[in-house]
């Protein structure tokens, strides 16, 4: 009887895990949707950074930056956490018999999101620097097309890079990744390390596509859905490998269409 009930318990735990993760992701999407439509929706948009340099006090700069980074964290949960479902499920199954399995899984998720939060803060500072440069240099003010074309051309070129494909290969083998990084020692530290290492590879393969959010508007729910779906397909579906090159060509053509008219005028 006990042997017969074991598969049922395993299915029940898997269903609970899927529902809990889905609820977290849906809550992030709902929060972003509500935030976008609130009086504070402008803080999700990178264009708001243009006024940070001229804010009255340092506190105003820090407050607006904190709101923006908070929005980035929500965006990461909504867009990137679903792409880690195979890895999280592999880790859940490996630790299914442990009493502390929920805490260890939470540590994996927290460290993964922590890496993306650090990446978002770095992108935020980079975008802030671009706005500062725009205010200082007349050439940039007379060539605003550069801010739309450059992220598209960069993301398109990165689709063909070795770094992109090496990072994707690590993300596409979640079971091997978990086994490789579960080295013994402190389970808590190992869980943090698994989440952080996977986060680094995830940033490595997806940072250029996430950078597009600065070109199309980080507060756009539609673009979040589209880019999140693209990254999930690239990482997790068997035919995702065939998407990289056509997507890269499309992004290069899009960026070229923006850049070419001003260059030949």
């Amino acid at each position: 009887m006990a042997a017969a009930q074991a598969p049922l318990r395993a299915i029940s735990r898997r269903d609970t895990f899927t529902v809990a993760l889905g609820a977290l992701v849906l809550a992030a999407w709902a929060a972003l949707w509500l935030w976008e439509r609130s009086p504070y929706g402008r803080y999700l948009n990178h264009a708001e950074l243009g006024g940070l340099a001229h804010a009255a006090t340092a506190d105003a700069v820090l407050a607006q930056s904190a709101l923006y980074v908070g929005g980035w964290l929500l965006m990461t949960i909504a867009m990137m956490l679903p792409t880690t479902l195979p890895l999280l499920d592999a880790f859940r199954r490996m630790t299914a018999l442990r009493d502390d399995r929920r805490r260890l899984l939470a540590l994996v998720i927290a460290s993964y999101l922590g890496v993306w939060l650090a990446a978002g803060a770095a992108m935020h500072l980079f975008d802030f620097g671009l706005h500062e440069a725009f205010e200082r240099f007349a050439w940039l003010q007379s060539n605003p097309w550069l801010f739309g074309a450059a992220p598209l051309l960069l993301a398109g070129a990165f689709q063909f890079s070795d770094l992109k494909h090496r990072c994707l290969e690590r993300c596409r083998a979640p079971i091997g990744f978990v086994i490789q990084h579960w080295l013994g020692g402190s389970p808590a530290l190992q869980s943090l390390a698994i989440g952080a290492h996977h986060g680094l590879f995830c940033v490595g393969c997806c940072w250029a596509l996430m950078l597009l959010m600065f070109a199309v508007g980080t507060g756009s729910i539609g673009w979040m859905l589209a880019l999140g779906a693209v990254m999930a397909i690239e990482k997790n579906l068997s035919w995702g490998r065939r998407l990289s090159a056509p997507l890269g060509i499309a992004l290069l053509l899009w960026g070229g269409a923006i850049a070419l008219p001003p260059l030949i005028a």
Side-chain angles (χ1 to χ4, degrees):
M1 179 65 70
Q5 291 177 343
L8 295 177
R9 287 196 297 269
I11 293 172
S12 177
R13 285 194 293 265
R14 184 179 65 222
D15 291 344
T16 301
F17 160 74
T18 303
V19 169
L21 187 66
L24 177 61
V25 171
L26 287 175
W29 279 112
L32 285 167
W33 186 83
L34 292 171
W35 190 346
E36 184 184 22
R37 285 153 180 78
S38 76
Y40 301 96
R42 65 186 187 276
Y43 295 117
L44 288 175
N45 195 315
H46 74 101
E48 182 68 18
L49 294 180
L52 286 178
H54 309 289
T57 65
D59 289 344
V61 174
L62 291 175
Q64 292 182 58
S65 297
L67 284 169
Y68 186 85
V69 172
W72 177 272
L73 180 60
L74 283 174
M75 189 167 64
T76 301
I77 295 173
M79 294 175 64
M80 302 311 305
L81 195 58
T83 72
T84 68
L85 179 60
L87 175 108
L88 296 177
D89 188 55
F91 184 82
R92 178 196 63 79
R93 286 186 281 114
M94 189 181 72
T95 58
L97 299 180
R98 297 182 61 96
D99 293 336
D100 58 352
R101 58 187 180 274
R102 294 184 181 86
R103 181 173 68 92
L104 297 180
L105 184 61
L107 291 174
V108 173
I109 294 173
S111 58
Y112 172 82
L113 293 176
V115 170
W116 267 109
L117 184 59
M123 292 183 187
H124 175 80
L125 290 174
F126 177 71
D127 197 38
F128 180 81
L130 288 180
H131 280 86
E132 278 282 89
F134 182 81
E135 295 292 335
R136 293 176 182 271
F137 297 103
W139 185 86
L140 289 175
Q141 294 175 25
S142 61
N143 293 276
W145 57 267
L146 185 64
F147 292 92
L152 292 165
L153 293 172
L154 178 61
F158 190 68
Q159 288 294 109
F160 300 96
S161 70
D162 288 338
L163 176 61
K164 165 90 176 184
H165 294 290
R166 286 201 300 268
C167 290
L168 273 176
E169 288 304 315
R170 298 302 301 274
C171 292
R172 288 167 177 159
I175 296 176
F177 185 91
V178 171
I179 293 174
Q180 179 183 355
H181 288 82
W182 189 256
L183 302 176
S186 168
L189 290 178
Q190 290 298 302
S191 299
L192 289 170
I194 287 174
H197 286 155
H198 187 71
L200 288 172
F201 284 113
C202 190
V203 170
C205 67
C206 298
W207 68 269
L209 290 176
M210 286 293 279
L211 198 64
L212 291 179
M213 294 303 299
F214 291 89
V216 301
T218 48
S220 170
I221 298 294
W223 279 111
M224 290 182 204
L225 284 168
L227 290 174
V230 165
M231 289 183 281
I233 290 170
E234 274 197 317
K235 286 177 61 177
N236 296 324
L237 297 186
S238 59
W239 53 272
R241 294 171 174 81
R242 298 196 292 271
L243 180 63
S244 296
L247 178 60
I249 292 171
L251 291 171
L252 289 172
L253 290 174
W254 187 2
I258 296 174
L260 191 58
L263 290 175
I264 64 177

